[in-house]
mmCIF file of all heavy atoms in Angstrom:
data_model
loop_
_atom_site.group_PDB
_atom_site.id
_atom_site.type_symbol
_atom_site.label_atom_id
_atom_site.label_comp_id
_atom_site.label_asym_id
_atom_site.label_seq_id
_atom_site.Cartn_x
_atom_site.Cartn_y
_atom_site.Cartn_z
ATOM 1 N N LEU A 5 97.034 119.213 -15.305
ATOM 2 C CA LEU A 5 98.373 119.181 -14.714
ATOM 3 C C LEU A 5 98.297 119.130 -13.200
ATOM 4 O O LEU A 5 99.087 118.449 -12.556
ATOM 5 C CB LEU A 5 99.158 120.412 -15.151
ATOM 6 C CG LEU A 5 99.128 120.719 -16.653
ATOM 7 C CD1 LEU A 5 99.853 122.017 -16.935
ATOM 8 C CD2 LEU A 5 99.738 119.576 -17.433
ATOM 9 N N THR A 6 97.360 119.892 -12.652
ATOM 10 C CA THR A 6 97.107 119.872 -11.217
ATOM 11 C C THR A 6 95.618 119.699 -11.005
ATOM 12 O O THR A 6 94.799 120.064 -11.858
ATOM 13 C CB THR A 6 97.594 121.162 -10.526
ATOM 14 O OG1 THR A 6 96.852 122.289 -11.034
ATOM 15 C CG2 THR A 6 99.082 121.388 -10.771
ATOM 16 N N HIS A 7 95.255 119.118 -9.880
ATOM 17 C CA HIS A 7 93.855 118.830 -9.566
ATOM 18 C C HIS A 7 93.735 118.993 -8.054
ATOM 19 O O HIS A 7 94.130 118.102 -7.294
ATOM 20 C CB HIS A 7 93.504 117.412 -10.016
ATOM 21 C CG HIS A 7 92.065 117.037 -9.877
ATOM 22 N ND1 HIS A 7 91.035 117.758 -10.457
ATOM 23 C CD2 HIS A 7 91.475 115.985 -9.230
ATOM 24 C CE1 HIS A 7 89.883 117.174 -10.188
ATOM 25 N NE2 HIS A 7 90.119 116.097 -9.430
ATOM 26 N N SER A 8 93.225 120.137 -7.634
ATOM 27 C CA SER A 8 93.382 120.578 -6.246
ATOM 28 C C SER A 8 92.047 120.617 -5.516
ATOM 29 O O SER A 8 91.152 121.383 -5.886
ATOM 30 C CB SER A 8 94.005 121.975 -6.219
ATOM 31 O OG SER A 8 95.172 122.017 -7.033
ATOM 32 N N PRO A 9 91.891 119.811 -4.461
ATOM 33 C CA PRO A 9 90.661 119.871 -3.672
ATOM 34 C C PRO A 9 90.459 121.264 -3.086
ATOM 35 O O PRO A 9 91.415 121.899 -2.616
ATOM 36 C CB PRO A 9 90.895 118.845 -2.560
ATOM 37 C CG PRO A 9 91.981 117.961 -3.080
ATOM 38 C CD PRO A 9 92.838 118.828 -3.937
ATOM 39 N N ILE A 10 89.218 121.720 -3.119
ATOM 40 C CA ILE A 10 88.945 123.078 -2.669
ATOM 41 C C ILE A 10 87.514 123.150 -2.164
ATOM 42 O O ILE A 10 86.634 122.412 -2.630
ATOM 43 C CB ILE A 10 89.170 124.088 -3.821
ATOM 44 C CG1 ILE A 10 89.266 125.508 -3.293
ATOM 45 C CG2 ILE A 10 88.106 123.963 -4.908
ATOM 46 C CD1 ILE A 10 89.841 126.479 -4.314
ATOM 47 N N THR A 11 87.283 124.000 -1.188
ATOM 48 C CA THR A 11 85.933 124.290 -0.726
ATOM 49 C C THR A 11 85.676 125.769 -0.906
ATOM 50 O O THR A 11 86.469 126.606 -0.459
ATOM 51 C CB THR A 11 85.747 123.895 0.747
ATOM 52 O OG1 THR A 11 85.965 122.490 0.892
ATOM 53 C CG2 THR A 11 84.337 124.234 1.223
ATOM 54 N N CYS A 12 84.598 126.079 -1.582
ATOM 55 C CA CYS A 12 84.268 127.485 -1.867
ATOM 56 C C CYS A 12 82.779 127.700 -1.639
ATOM 57 O O CYS A 12 81.952 126.936 -2.160
ATOM 58 C CB CYS A 12 84.641 127.834 -3.308
ATOM 59 S SG CYS A 12 84.399 129.566 -3.748
ATOM 60 N N GLN A 13 82.459 128.689 -0.846
ATOM 61 C CA GLN A 13 81.073 128.985 -0.488
ATOM 62 C C GLN A 13 80.348 127.735 0.017
ATOM 63 O O GLN A 13 79.188 127.484 -0.299
ATOM 64 C CB GLN A 13 80.333 129.617 -1.671
ATOM 65 C CG GLN A 13 80.928 130.951 -2.090
ATOM 66 C CD GLN A 13 80.073 131.717 -3.074
ATOM 67 O OE1 GLN A 13 78.886 131.440 -3.231
ATOM 68 N NE2 GLN A 13 80.662 132.714 -3.723
ATOM 69 N N GLY A 14 81.082 126.931 0.799
ATOM 70 C CA GLY A 14 80.510 125.765 1.447
ATOM 71 C C GLY A 14 80.405 124.526 0.585
ATOM 72 O O GLY A 14 79.915 123.489 1.054
ATOM 73 N N LYS A 15 80.880 124.592 -0.673
ATOM 74 C CA LYS A 15 80.768 123.449 -1.574
ATOM 75 C C LYS A 15 82.147 122.911 -1.918
ATOM 76 O O LYS A 15 83.046 123.670 -2.256
ATOM 77 C CB LYS A 15 80.022 123.851 -2.855
ATOM 78 C CG LYS A 15 78.583 124.288 -2.599
ATOM 79 C CD LYS A 15 77.887 124.689 -3.902
ATOM 80 C CE LYS A 15 76.448 125.118 -3.634
ATOM 81 N NZ LYS A 15 75.759 125.540 -4.885
ATOM 82 N N ALA A 16 82.285 121.598 -1.850
ATOM 83 C CA ALA A 16 83.558 120.955 -2.174
ATOM 84 C C ALA A 16 83.680 120.784 -3.681
ATOM 85 O O ALA A 16 82.726 120.420 -4.364
ATOM 86 C CB ALA A 16 83.646 119.601 -1.490
ATOM 87 N N SER A 17 84.870 121.051 -4.195
ATOM 88 C CA SER A 17 85.102 120.929 -5.631
ATOM 89 C C SER A 17 86.596 120.743 -5.872
ATOM 90 O O SER A 17 87.342 120.374 -4.950
ATOM 91 C CB SER A 17 84.557 122.162 -6.363
ATOM 92 O OG SER A 17 84.632 121.995 -7.760
ATOM 93 N N TYR A 18 87.018 121.023 -7.111
ATOM 94 C CA TYR A 18 88.425 120.957 -7.485
ATOM 95 C C TYR A 18 88.783 122.165 -8.343
ATOM 96 O O TYR A 18 87.960 122.640 -9.128
ATOM 97 C CB TYR A 18 88.733 119.687 -8.278
ATOM 98 C CG TYR A 18 88.683 118.426 -7.451
ATOM 99 C CD1 TYR A 18 87.490 117.730 -7.296
ATOM 100 C CD2 TYR A 18 89.828 117.940 -6.826
ATOM 101 C CE1 TYR A 18 87.437 116.576 -6.531
ATOM 102 C CE2 TYR A 18 89.783 116.790 -6.063
ATOM 103 C CZ TYR A 18 88.594 116.112 -5.914
ATOM 104 O OH TYR A 18 88.546 114.972 -5.160
ATOM 105 N N ALA A 19 90.006 122.635 -8.202
ATOM 106 C CA ALA A 19 90.576 123.638 -9.093
ATOM 107 C C ALA A 19 91.626 122.954 -9.959
ATOM 108 O O ALA A 19 92.415 122.148 -9.456
ATOM 109 C CB ALA A 19 91.218 124.769 -8.292
ATOM 110 N N ASP A 20 91.623 123.260 -11.262
ATOM 111 C CA ASP A 20 92.520 122.573 -12.186
ATOM 112 C C ASP A 20 93.348 123.559 -13.001
ATOM 113 O O ASP A 20 92.839 124.601 -13.438
ATOM 114 C CB ASP A 20 91.725 121.713 -13.170
ATOM 115 C CG ASP A 20 90.908 120.628 -12.489
ATOM 116 O OD1 ASP A 20 91.435 119.999 -11.553
ATOM 117 O OD2 ASP A 20 89.748 120.416 -12.891
ATOM 118 N N SER A 21 94.609 123.222 -13.230
ATOM 119 C CA SER A 21 95.372 123.827 -14.313
ATOM 120 C C SER A 21 95.405 122.818 -15.445
ATOM 121 O O SER A 21 95.371 121.604 -15.202
ATOM 122 C CB SER A 21 96.780 124.190 -13.865
ATOM 123 O OG SER A 21 97.495 123.044 -13.456
ATOM 124 N N ALA A 22 95.441 123.314 -16.693
ATOM 125 C CA ALA A 22 95.260 122.399 -17.808
ATOM 126 C C ALA A 22 95.989 122.883 -19.051
ATOM 127 O O ALA A 22 96.323 124.064 -19.190
ATOM 128 C CB ALA A 22 93.769 122.222 -18.114
ATOM 129 N N TYR A 23 96.213 121.941 -19.965
ATOM 130 C CA TYR A 23 96.870 122.208 -21.247
ATOM 131 C C TYR A 23 96.178 121.384 -22.318
ATOM 132 O O TYR A 23 95.957 120.184 -22.138
ATOM 133 C CB TYR A 23 98.345 121.822 -21.153
ATOM 134 C CG TYR A 23 99.108 121.808 -22.458
ATOM 135 C CD1 TYR A 23 99.482 122.984 -23.099
ATOM 136 C CD2 TYR A 23 99.477 120.590 -23.046
ATOM 137 C CE1 TYR A 23 100.199 122.954 -24.291
ATOM 138 C CE2 TYR A 23 100.206 120.552 -24.230
ATOM 139 C CZ TYR A 23 100.559 121.737 -24.854
ATOM 140 O OH TYR A 23 101.270 121.712 -26.030
ATOM 141 N N TYR A 24 95.782 122.059 -23.414
ATOM 142 C CA TYR A 24 95.214 121.313 -24.530
ATOM 143 C C TYR A 24 95.843 121.771 -25.830
ATOM 144 O O TYR A 24 96.480 122.831 -25.902
ATOM 145 C CB TYR A 24 93.684 121.432 -24.572
ATOM 146 C CG TYR A 24 93.116 122.741 -25.083
ATOM 147 C CD1 TYR A 24 92.862 122.928 -26.448
ATOM 148 C CD2 TYR A 24 92.788 123.783 -24.218
ATOM 149 C CE1 TYR A 24 92.314 124.120 -26.923
ATOM 150 C CE2 TYR A 24 92.236 124.965 -24.681
ATOM 151 C CZ TYR A 24 92.003 125.125 -26.037
ATOM 152 O OH TYR A 24 91.458 126.298 -26.501
ATOM 153 N N THR A 25 95.705 120.950 -26.873
ATOM 154 C CA THR A 25 96.251 121.283 -28.178
ATOM 155 C C THR A 25 95.181 121.118 -29.249
ATOM 156 O O THR A 25 94.183 120.404 -29.059
ATOM 157 C CB THR A 25 97.469 120.403 -28.518
ATOM 158 O OG1 THR A 25 97.144 119.018 -28.327
ATOM 159 C CG2 THR A 25 98.641 120.756 -27.618
ATOM 160 N N VAL A 26 95.385 121.803 -30.382
ATOM 161 C CA VAL A 26 94.412 121.819 -31.473
ATOM 162 C C VAL A 26 95.121 121.440 -32.773
ATOM 163 O O VAL A 26 96.355 121.432 -32.843
ATOM 164 C CB VAL A 26 93.743 123.207 -31.599
ATOM 165 C CG1 VAL A 26 92.914 123.514 -30.358
ATOM 166 C CG2 VAL A 26 94.780 124.306 -31.836
ATOM 167 N N PRO A 27 94.366 121.120 -33.837
ATOM 168 C CA PRO A 27 94.984 120.669 -35.085
ATOM 169 C C PRO A 27 96.000 121.626 -35.695
ATOM 170 O O PRO A 27 96.924 121.187 -36.399
ATOM 171 C CB PRO A 27 93.775 120.475 -36.009
ATOM 172 C CG PRO A 27 92.658 120.108 -35.089
ATOM 173 C CD PRO A 27 92.891 120.936 -33.863
ATOM 174 N N SER A 28 95.884 122.923 -35.449
ATOM 175 C CA SER A 28 96.863 123.870 -35.987
ATOM 176 C C SER A 28 98.236 123.690 -35.358
ATOM 177 O O SER A 28 99.230 124.229 -35.860
ATOM 178 C CB SER A 28 96.398 125.310 -35.743
ATOM 179 O OG SER A 28 96.464 125.631 -34.357
ATOM 180 N N GLY A 29 98.306 122.962 -34.260
ATOM 181 C CA GLY A 29 99.542 122.803 -33.514
ATOM 182 C C GLY A 29 99.633 123.697 -32.305
ATOM 183 O O GLY A 29 100.540 123.534 -31.475
ATOM 184 N N ALA A 30 98.716 124.635 -32.178
ATOM 185 C CA ALA A 30 98.765 125.551 -31.040
ATOM 186 C C ALA A 30 98.500 124.816 -29.740
ATOM 187 O O ALA A 30 97.691 123.875 -29.680
ATOM 188 C CB ALA A 30 97.747 126.674 -31.215
ATOM 189 N N GLY A 31 99.169 125.268 -28.688
ATOM 190 C CA GLY A 31 98.915 124.784 -27.343
ATOM 191 C C GLY A 31 98.266 125.882 -26.523
ATOM 192 O O GLY A 31 98.547 127.075 -26.733
ATOM 193 N N VAL A 32 97.389 125.496 -25.611
ATOM 194 C CA VAL A 32 96.699 126.451 -24.741
ATOM 195 C C VAL A 32 96.890 126.002 -23.296
ATOM 196 O O VAL A 32 96.556 124.865 -22.934
ATOM 197 C CB VAL A 32 95.203 126.544 -25.078
ATOM 198 C CG1 VAL A 32 94.507 127.547 -24.155
ATOM 199 C CG2 VAL A 32 95.002 126.937 -26.546
ATOM 200 N N PHE A 33 97.435 126.899 -22.485
ATOM 201 C CA PHE A 33 97.709 126.609 -21.072
ATOM 202 C C PHE A 33 96.902 127.553 -20.202
ATOM 203 O O PHE A 33 96.824 128.761 -20.474
ATOM 204 C CB PHE A 33 99.200 126.792 -20.791
ATOM 205 C CG PHE A 33 99.566 126.765 -19.331
ATOM 206 C CD1 PHE A 33 99.357 125.627 -18.570
ATOM 207 C CD2 PHE A 33 100.125 127.886 -18.717
ATOM 208 C CE1 PHE A 33 99.696 125.602 -17.214
ATOM 209 C CE2 PHE A 33 100.468 127.868 -17.370
ATOM 210 C CZ PHE A 33 100.255 126.712 -16.621
ATOM 211 N N ALA A 34 96.293 127.018 -19.151
ATOM 212 C CA ALA A 34 95.563 127.830 -18.183
ATOM 213 C C ALA A 34 95.957 127.406 -16.777
ATOM 214 O O ALA A 34 95.923 126.212 -16.451
ATOM 215 C CB ALA A 34 94.050 127.676 -18.373
ATOM 216 N N THR A 35 96.327 128.374 -15.944
ATOM 217 C CA THR A 35 96.736 128.060 -14.578
ATOM 218 C C THR A 35 95.554 127.694 -13.698
ATOM 219 O O THR A 35 95.711 126.974 -12.716
ATOM 220 C CB THR A 35 97.467 129.238 -13.928
ATOM 221 O OG1 THR A 35 96.531 130.313 -13.685
ATOM 222 C CG2 THR A 35 98.617 129.726 -14.793
ATOM 223 N N GLY A 36 94.366 128.251 -13.989
ATOM 224 C CA GLY A 36 93.181 127.975 -13.194
ATOM 225 C C GLY A 36 93.132 128.694 -11.866
ATOM 226 O O GLY A 36 92.261 128.411 -11.041
ATOM 227 N N THR A 37 94.034 129.647 -11.642
ATOM 228 C CA THR A 37 94.048 130.382 -10.373
ATOM 229 C C THR A 37 94.456 131.828 -10.603
ATOM 230 O O THR A 37 95.310 132.119 -11.444
ATOM 231 C CB THR A 37 95.002 129.735 -9.355
ATOM 232 O OG1 THR A 37 95.117 130.589 -8.197
ATOM 233 C CG2 THR A 37 96.397 129.538 -9.941
ATOM 234 N N MET A 38 93.886 132.711 -9.830
ATOM 235 C CA MET A 38 94.195 134.128 -9.958
ATOM 236 C C MET A 38 95.456 134.511 -9.193
ATOM 237 O O MET A 38 95.960 135.626 -9.333
ATOM 238 C CB MET A 38 93.005 134.954 -9.458
ATOM 239 C CG MET A 38 92.978 136.374 -9.942
ATOM 240 S SD MET A 38 91.417 137.175 -9.524
ATOM 241 C CE MET A 38 90.358 136.437 -10.755
ATOM 242 N N ARG A 39 95.994 133.607 -8.405
ATOM 243 C CA ARG A 39 97.138 133.946 -7.571
ATOM 244 C C ARG A 39 98.482 133.653 -8.255
ATOM 245 O O ARG A 39 99.537 133.894 -7.682
ATOM 246 C CB ARG A 39 97.032 133.197 -6.238
ATOM 247 C CG ARG A 39 97.759 133.874 -5.093
ATOM 248 C CD ARG A 39 97.382 133.258 -3.760
ATOM 249 N NE ARG A 39 96.111 133.765 -3.278
ATOM 250 C CZ ARG A 39 95.291 133.100 -2.470
ATOM 251 N NH1 ARG A 39 95.613 131.893 -2.066
ATOM 252 N NH2 ARG A 39 94.164 133.649 -2.079
ATOM 253 N N TRP A 40 98.448 133.163 -9.472
ATOM 254 C CA TRP A 40 99.676 132.786 -10.169
ATOM 255 C C TRP A 40 100.594 133.985 -10.388
ATOM 256 O O TRP A 40 101.816 133.892 -10.228
ATOM 257 C CB TRP A 40 99.314 132.151 -11.505
ATOM 258 C CG TRP A 40 100.409 131.399 -12.180
ATOM 259 C CD1 TRP A 40 101.302 131.880 -13.087
ATOM 260 C CD2 TRP A 40 100.727 130.007 -12.013
ATOM 261 N NE1 TRP A 40 102.156 130.890 -13.522
ATOM 262 C CE2 TRP A 40 101.819 129.722 -12.862
ATOM 263 C CE3 TRP A 40 100.197 128.987 -11.242
ATOM 264 C CZ2 TRP A 40 102.379 128.451 -12.955
ATOM 265 C CZ3 TRP A 40 100.750 127.716 -11.329
ATOM 266 C CH2 TRP A 40 101.839 127.464 -12.177
ATOM 267 N N ASN A 41 100.030 135.131 -10.753
ATOM 268 C CA ASN A 41 100.845 136.315 -11.043
ATOM 269 C C ASN A 41 101.746 136.682 -9.879
ATOM 270 O O ASN A 41 102.938 136.931 -10.062
ATOM 271 C CB ASN A 41 99.940 137.499 -11.403
ATOM 272 C CG ASN A 41 100.707 138.802 -11.502
ATOM 273 O OD1 ASN A 41 101.473 139.029 -12.431
ATOM 274 N ND2 ASN A 41 100.508 139.677 -10.516
ATOM 275 N N CYS A 42 101.206 136.702 -8.680
ATOM 276 C CA CYS A 42 102.047 137.139 -7.567
ATOM 277 C C CYS A 42 103.001 136.054 -7.102
ATOM 278 O O CYS A 42 103.897 136.310 -6.301
ATOM 279 C CB CYS A 42 101.237 137.704 -6.409
ATOM 280 S SG CYS A 42 100.004 136.637 -5.704
ATOM 281 N N ALA A 43 102.890 134.839 -7.652
ATOM 282 C CA ALA A 43 103.898 133.817 -7.388
ATOM 283 C C ALA A 43 105.131 134.003 -8.277
ATOM 284 O O ALA A 43 106.178 133.409 -8.006
ATOM 285 C CB ALA A 43 103.314 132.430 -7.627
ATOM 286 N N LEU A 44 105.018 134.824 -9.305
ATOM 287 C CA LEU A 44 106.097 134.924 -10.283
ATOM 288 C C LEU A 44 107.211 135.868 -9.868
ATOM 289 O O LEU A 44 108.247 135.929 -10.535
ATOM 290 C CB LEU A 44 105.534 135.337 -11.648
ATOM 291 C CG LEU A 44 104.613 134.299 -12.289
ATOM 292 C CD1 LEU A 44 104.180 134.753 -13.664
ATOM 293 C CD2 LEU A 44 105.282 132.927 -12.359
ATOM 294 N N VAL A 45 107.021 136.614 -8.807
ATOM 295 C CA VAL A 45 108.092 137.420 -8.245
ATOM 296 C C VAL A 45 108.238 137.047 -6.781
ATOM 297 O O VAL A 45 107.263 137.050 -6.032
ATOM 298 C CB VAL A 45 107.818 138.928 -8.400
ATOM 299 C CG1 VAL A 45 108.878 139.740 -7.689
ATOM 300 C CG2 VAL A 45 107.804 139.307 -9.878
#
């Protein structure tokens, strides 16, 4: 859903939020960041 350029400990990479689904119909969502909680208030 998001693909965010990031540098951590001197190395360039990306941080991602993502959503996948499985045959049971379940969906799995991950924000990919620890700061999401404090954005909710």
